[in-house]
Amino acid sequence: MSALLDTIATIRREVCALHAELTRYELVVWTAGNVSARVPGHDLMVIKPSGVSYDALTPELMVVTDLQGVPVAGDGDGAWGNPDLSPSSDTAAHAYVYRNMPDVGGVVHTHSTYATAWAARGEPIPCVLTMMGDEFGGTIPVGPFALIGDDSIGRGIVDTLRASHSPAVLMQNHGPFTIGKDARSAVKAAVMCEEVARTVHISRQLGEPLPIDAGQIESLYSRYQNVYGR
Amino acid sequence: MSALLDTIATIRREVCALHAELTRYELVVWTAGNVSARVPGHDLMVIKPSGVSYDALTPELMVVTDLQGVPVAGDGDGAWGNPDLSPSSDTAAHAYVYRNMPDVGGVVHTHSTYATAWAARGEPIPCVLTMMGDEFGGTIPVGPFALIGDDSIGRGIVDTLRASHSPAVLMQNHGPFTIGKDARSAVKAAVMCEEVARTVHISRQLGEPLPIDAGQIESLYSRYQNVYGR
Amino acid sequence: MSALLDTIATIRREVCALHAELTRYELVVWTAGNVSARVPGHDLMVIKPSGVSYDALTPELMVVTDLQGVPVAGDGDGAWGNPDLSPSSDTAAHAYVYRNMPDVGGVVHTHSTYATAWAARGEPIPCVLTMMGDEFGGTIPVGPFALIGDDSIGRGIVDTLRASHSPAVLMQNHGPFTIGKDARSAVKAAVMCEEVARTVHISRQLGEPLPIDAGQIESLYSRYQNVYGR
Amino acid sequence: MSALLDTIATIRREVCALHAELTRYELVVWTAGNVSARVPGHDLMVIKPSGVSYDALTPELMVVTDLQGVPVAGDGDGAWGNPDLSPSSDTAAHAYVYRNMPDVGGVVHTHSTYATAWAARGEPIPCVLTMMGDEFGGTIPVGPFALIGDDSIGRGIVDTLRASHSPAVLMQNHGPFTIGKDARSAVKAAVMCEEVARTVHISRQLGEPLPIDAGQIESLYSRYQNVYGR
């Protein structure tokens, strides 16, 4: 049991620290974005508390839930977290991903500006940059319009990502969700998603970007995933 | 009387500190934006002094006025503030809102770039983002063109906001005013107003965003207001 | 003489410190912008040295020149500055302004992005924002295309500003120059010039901003100049 | 030998420190950009390690390679660097430039947003700004589409830059590479390349920028290169 507590303490620190990357790259305003991580080997996850500003986050405030998104009460000595805090209002979507994609170790949700602008038009981002071939292996797809309250957001994320190389999905009228083998990889995908959303948007403002051949995209993606892993 | 002085001292600190959110989210340049708060239970408000740069703001410099916008002289021992400072040149508009909307505890005015760009065209921001449904419950409306000097700005704000769910109004050719149950809520509305103004603008640059059904907007708004209150 | 040295020391500190506002508001990159101030009552000015990065500026590095732009040697004890530094390559333009506009106490030059974008099209910025009426009293005009090397830049600035309320001129294909009663006012005009250049640009991307009646612009301008002076 | 070690130590510090300019001017996200410098008089270069975030860079982590891009093992006492780190995945392109352009002392690669947006359309940036005449002496050219893995990126850079005044080339669908007499000059070119890419892009959003006469561009370029050297 003490090994699990140590693992949770480490993951709390990592998840807390990774939120600073969301503000550094200006992917979020106020409290509108969240990072979670799976606790490897357990049906548990660690996620941002609801309504707490990024400046005020500490590892102790991160919330531990089961993979239904229900906070875990712990043993009353505080090791499981502050019982007064609710997990992020997006917890159900994160939990659905962990239940249905066993290789995923981290999930990130933001409303980053350019990715959300594509999502509002329901338009996938075409792969016209070599760095997009490297990271996303093709277009960044759009997921369905879905309201919060049941599994429809989580199901939309999982169904869309299973049909794609991309670790990012743009949920229609909503914003991006990204996944990774761990929380850091999912944050990297969120940062790169906004970067390519912005660059391709700006490129298209003055004309049509040149397409990259599908075989060349596949070649970029294979090389990059082999070199860097994922 | 000492309880009122304590309350005012607390509100001064809050109003002063909230101006840092305006600069952090780049809603203002130089001295062109201001936050105020009602003193609960009294016909008083606390507001930014005129012409003082954000770096130089301290709680002591905040100006206490009555709800006509007239600085309150106090008892001469400095507890009411520095008699050499005038309140913000937008004080009359803030005061009009407090006189006419008794539930409002905070008011914010900025010239944030994207919101002001919509205001210059006199065009309301359509509700095409789920976070806009959450926070604004529909479109962000435009208020009339009005010159400083009498109650016409304040009246334009109040008349427009009374006809809307939105805590933000875009005053034509001028910029946004936002309200909240307290000053922090009004600042959050100013931050979110600029964020949705920017995202919807960028989305529309390359096509028409997909509309969200009115019933679904109402559902987003009800849920969010019940969970988070306002 | 000692009073003059004290004055120069004060102005060096002010001019040095004001460069931090150019970087804070992202009006400049690398070394591409400069602030100067007149030494009141003397045919002298203080200006940024050429090719020194903003991080490395200190009051001692500011260069004192006469109003022909020639560095003043001083008395050899260092009080007049470092003889190894040249004044900014834009010194001739600043000096021309001081020789020909006796009420001007400060001049700023930047290549701030949006103002320079209007300048590259040779298009004045229309007055469609109340804050533009306040600060600029109408459109921000364009000055002629002029090459560095003689008085043609300075003459273009002065001829254009004399025909306008505006303290800012957009030199064609080049960038903005701004003036003020002192260096701080000129920096404020540079900050506000970029802000309105950006906001009006963004507004026009999705349609035509609503015009403001000329009489109302005059009314905004008169009130603002009387309240704040300039 | 000790003189060479001292030189390498100095260059490590410079190359490390210059990466901070890439983040300061927001030319890079995550780990997607790199600076290198030639070791003068030796067939050696110093370059960023692969996959290390900018915050974590220290002079000791910089990788020394030969001009084929192969890390130099050193003498085992750590003076040549950490044997566990690979050089940037763009090392082959940097090395090709040093082998084929003997006057080049520094190379920079980024995916800076606006320059990459032009690169995605395969469109050179027209010279419509005086600062572009100064720094680039004409248009910023586009290089061929090329995949990583052999010399095709390096050859595309060198062939394009040899036919141009410009120290920057936009590799199609990829991003900018810049050169300079030393690493600092190459970083300056990267900063200025993004600045003119952004300003010309924004200018063209609302119409066509006014051209600058070829003779005047040549005159700007000659004067600037003589005054500032390069």
Side-chain angles (χ1 to χ4, degrees):
Chain A
M1 193 60 181
S2 144
L4 175 56
L5 286 178
D6 286 353
T7 300
I8 288 176
T10 302
I11 295 176
R12 279 177 192 282
R13 282 194 298 272
E14 287 169 358
V15 170
C16 180
L18 284 165
H19 283 89
E21 301 291 325
L22 303 189
T23 54
R24 176 212 298 241
Y25 290 111
E26 301 187 343
L27 305 188
V28 292
V29 299
W30 213 254
T31 63
N34 36 72
V35 178
S36 71
R38 187 194 291 274
V39 181
H42 295 268
D43 284 346
L44 296 171
M45 56 184 263
V46 174
I47 192 166
K48 178 180 180 290
S50 177
V52 178
S53 75
Y54 297 108
D55 284 353
L57 291 182
T58 62
E60 294 69 31
L61 298 181
M62 301 298 114
V63 180
V64 182
T65 74
D66 65 23
L67 295 190
Q68 301 296 330
V70 178
V72 174
D75 55 4
D77 66 357
W80 293 87
N82 187 331
D84 298 335
L85 290 170
S86 305
S88 162
S89 61
D90 298 303
T91 297
H94 291 247
Y96 189 95
V97 174
Y98 292 121
R99 288 203 306 281
N100 290 279
M101 300 183 92
D103 293 345
V104 168
V107 177
V108 173
H109 174 45
T110 77
H111 298 124
S112 65
T113 305
Y114 284 85
T116 303
W118 289 89
R121 288 194 312 275
E123 190 174 354
I125 308 176
C127 184
V128 295
L129 302 172
T130 55
M131 75 170 155
M132 211 176 151
D134 289 344
E135 298 280 350
F136 298 93
T139 62
I140 298 179
V142 173
F145 182 85
L147 287 188
I148 209 163
D150 58 16
D151 277 347
S152 55
I153 293 178
R155 198 164 47 239
I157 296 168
V158 168
D159 291 350
T160 310
L161 290 179
R162 276 190 181 142
S164 170
H165 277 330
S166 168
V169 51
L170 310 175
M171 292 301 284
Q172 185 188 309
N173 295 110
H174 185 169
F177 282 82
T178 60
I179 57 173
K181 68 175 162 51
D182 53 25
R184 184 168 185 81
S185 298
V187 169
K188 180 184 180 189
V191 171
M192 298 309 289
C193 177
E194 180 64 5
E195 183 67 8
V196 302
R198 176 170 33 230
T199 304
V200 179
H201 175 95
I202 289 170
S203 189
R204 276 188 58 190
Q205 288 186 309
L206 297 181
E208 210 50 46
L210 301 170
I212 303 181
D213 179 81
Q216 286 167 324
I217 291 172
E218 200 60 41
S219 149
L220 285 164
Y221 183 67
S222 308
R223 190 198 64 86
Y224 192 78
Q225 302 305 315
N226 288 339
V227 173
Y228 288 95
R230 195 173 80 194
Chain B
M1 193 62 180
S2 145
L4 174 56
L5 287 179
D6 286 354
T7 300
I8 288 176
T10 301
I11 294 176
R12 279 177 192 282
R13 282 194 298 272
E14 288 170 358
V15 170
C16 180
L18 284 165
H19 284 89
E21 301 291 324
L22 303 189
T23 53
R24 177 211 297 240
Y25 289 111
E26 302 188 343
L27 305 187
V28 292
V29 298
W30 213 254
T31 63
N34 36 73
V35 177
S36 71
R38 187 195 291 275
V39 181
H42 295 268
D43 285 346
L44 295 171
M45 56 184 263
V46 174
I47 193 165
K48 178 181 180 290
S50 177
V52 178
S53 75
Y54 297 107
D55 284 354
L57 291 182
T58 62
E60 294 69 32
L61 298 181
M62 301 297 115
V63 180
V64 182
T65 75
D66 64 22
L67 295 190
Q68 300 296 331
V70 178
V72 174
D75 56 5
D77 66 356
W80 294 86
N82 186 330
D84 298 336
L85 291 170
S86 304
S88 162
S89 60
D90 298 303
T91 297
H94 290 246
Y96 189 95
V97 173
Y98 292 121
R99 288 203 306 281
N100 288 279
M101 299 184 92
D103 293 345
V104 168
V107 177
V108 172
H109 174 46
T110 77
H111 299 125
S112 65
T113 304
Y114 284 85
T116 302
W118 289 88
R121 288 195 312 273
E123 190 174 354
I125 307 176
C127 183
V128 295
L129 302 171
T130 55
M131 75 171 156
M132 210 175 153
D134 289 345
E135 298 280 350
F136 297 92
T139 62
I140 297 179
V142 173
F145 182 85
L147 288 187
I148 209 164
D150 59 15
D151 276 348
S152 57
I153 293 179
R155 198 164 49 236
I157 296 167
V158 168
D159 290 353
T160 310
L161 291 179
R162 277 190 180 142
S164 171
H165 278 328
S166 169
V169 51
L170 311 175
M171 293 300 284
Q172 186 188 310
N173 296 108
H174 185 168
F177 282 82
T178 59
I179 58 173
K181 69 176 161 50
D182 53 26
R184 183 168 185 81
S185 297
V187 169
K188 181 185 180 189
V191 171
M192 298 308 289
C193 177
E194 179 64 4
E195 183 67 8
V196 302
R198 174 169 34 230
T199 304
V200 179
H201 175 94
I202 289 170
S203 189
R204 276 188 56 191
Q205 288 187 308
L206 297 182
E208 210 50 46
L210 301 170
I212 304 180
D213 179 81
Q216 286 167 323
I217 291 173
E218 200 61 42
S219 149
L220 285 164
Y221 183 69
S222 308
R223 190 199 64 86
Y224 193 78
Q225 302 305 315
N226 287 339
V227 174
Y228 289 94
R230 193 172 80 195
Chain C
M1 194 62 180
S2 143
L4 174 57
L5 286 179
D6 285 355
T7 301
I8 287 175
T10 301
I11 294 176
R12 278 177 193 282
R13 282 195 297 273
E14 288 170 358
V15 170
C16 181
L18 284 165
H19 283 89
E21 300 292 324
L22 303 189
T23 53
R24 178 210 299 240
Y25 289 110
E26 302 187 343
L27 305 188
V28 292
V29 298
W30 214 254
T31 64
N34 36 71
V35 178
S36 71
R38 187 195 290 275
V39 181
H42 296 268
D43 285 345
L44 295 172
M45 56 184 263
V46 174
I47 193 165
K48 179 181 179 291
S50 177
V52 178
S53 76
Y54 297 108
D55 283 354
L57 291 182
T58 61
E60 294 69 31
L61 298 181
M62 301 297 115
V63 180
V64 182
T65 75
D66 64 24
L67 295 191
Q68 301 296 330
V70 178
V72 174
D75 55 5
D77 66 354
W80 294 85
N82 187 330
D84 298 336
L85 290 169
S86 305
S88 162
S89 61
D90 297 303
T91 298
H94 290 247
Y96 188 96
V97 174
Y98 291 122
R99 288 203 305 280
N100 289 279
M101 299 184 92
D103 293 344
V104 168
V107 177
V108 173
H109 174 47
T110 77
H111 299 126
S112 65
T113 305
Y114 285 85
T116 301
W118 289 88
R121 288 195 311 275
E123 190 174 354
I125 309 176
C127 184
V128 295
L129 302 171
T130 56
M131 74 170 155
M132 212 177 151
D134 290 346
E135 298 281 350
F136 298 93
T139 61
I140 298 179
V142 173
F145 182 84
L147 286 189
I148 210 165
D150 59 16
D151 276 347
S152 58
I153 295 179
R155 198 164 48 238
I157 296 167
V158 168
D159 290 352
T160 310
L161 291 178
R162 276 189 181 142
S164 170
H165 277 330
S166 169
V169 51
L170 310 176
M171 292 301 284
Q172 185 187 312
N173 295 109
H174 185 168
F177 282 82
T178 59
I179 57 173
K181 67 176 162 52
D182 52 25
R184 184 169 184 80
S185 297
V187 169
K188 181 184 179 189
V191 171
M192 299 308 290
C193 176
E194 179 64 4
E195 183 67 9
V196 302
R198 175 170 34 231
T199 305
V200 178
H201 175 94
I202 289 170
S203 189
R204 276 187 57 191
Q205 289 186 309
L206 296 181
E208 210 49 47
L210 300 169
I212 304 181
D213 180 81
Q216 286 166 325
I217 291 173
E218 200 61 42
S219 149
L220 285 164
Y221 183 68
S222 309
R223 190 199 64 85
Y224 193 79
Q225 302 304 317
N226 288 338
V227 173
Y228 287 93
R230 195 174 77 192
Chain D
M1 195 61 180
S2 143
L4 174 57
L5 286 179
D6 285 354
T7 301
I8 288 175
T10 301
I11 294 176
R12 278 177 193 282
R13 281 193 297 273
E14 287 169 358
V15 169
C16 181
L18 285 164
H19 283 90
E21 301 291 325
L22 304 189
T23 53
R24 178 213 296 241
Y25 289 110
E26 301 186 344
L27 305 189
V28 292
V29 298
W30 214 253
T31 64
N34 36 72
V35 178
S36 71
R38 187 194 291 274
V39 181
H42 296 267
D43 284 346
L44 295 172
M45 55 184 264
V46 174
I47 193 165
K48 178 180 179 292
S50 176
V52 178
S53 76
Y54 297 108
D55 284 355
L57 291 183
T58 61
E60 293 70 30
L61 298 182
M62 301 298 115
V63 180
V64 182
T65 75
D66 64 23
L67 295 191
Q68 301 297 330
V70 178
V72 174
D75 56 3
D77 67 355
W80 294 87
N82 187 331
D84 297 337
L85 291 171
S86 304
S88 162
S89 60
D90 297 302
T91 297
H94 290 247
Y96 188 95
V97 174
Y98 291 122
R99 287 204 305 280
N100 289 279
M101 299 184 92
D103 293 344
V104 168
V107 177
V108 173
H109 174 46
T110 78
H111 299 123
S112 65
T113 305
Y114 284 85
T116 302
W118 290 88
R121 288 194 312 275
E123 190 175 353
I125 309 176
C127 184
V128 295
L129 302 171
T130 55
M131 74 170 155
M132 212 177 150
D134 289 345
E135 298 281 350
F136 298 93
T139 62
I140 297 179
V142 173
F145 182 85
L147 286 188
I148 210 164
D150 59 17
D151 276 347
S152 57
I153 294 179
R155 198 163 48 237
I157 296 168
V158 168
D159 291 351
T160 310
L161 290 179
R162 277 191 180 143
S164 169
H165 278 329
S166 168
V169 51
L170 311 176
M171 292 301 283
Q172 185 187 311
N173 295 109
H174 185 169
F177 282 82
T178 59
I179 56 172
K181 68 176 163 49
D182 52 26
R184 184 169 184 79
S185 297
V187 170
K188 181 184 180 188
V191 171
M192 299 308 290
C193 176
E194 180 64 5
E195 183 67 7
V196 303
R198 176 170 34 230
T199 304
V200 178
H201 175 95
I202 289 170
S203 189
R204 276 188 57 190
Q205 289 186 308
L206 296 181
E208 211 49 47
L210 301 170
I212 304 181
D213 180 81
Q216 286 168 324
I217 291 173
E218 199 61 42
S219 148
L220 285 163
Y221 183 68
S222 307
R223 190 199 65 85
Y224 192 78
Q225 302 305 317
N226 288 338
V227 173
Y228 286 94
R230 196 174 77 192

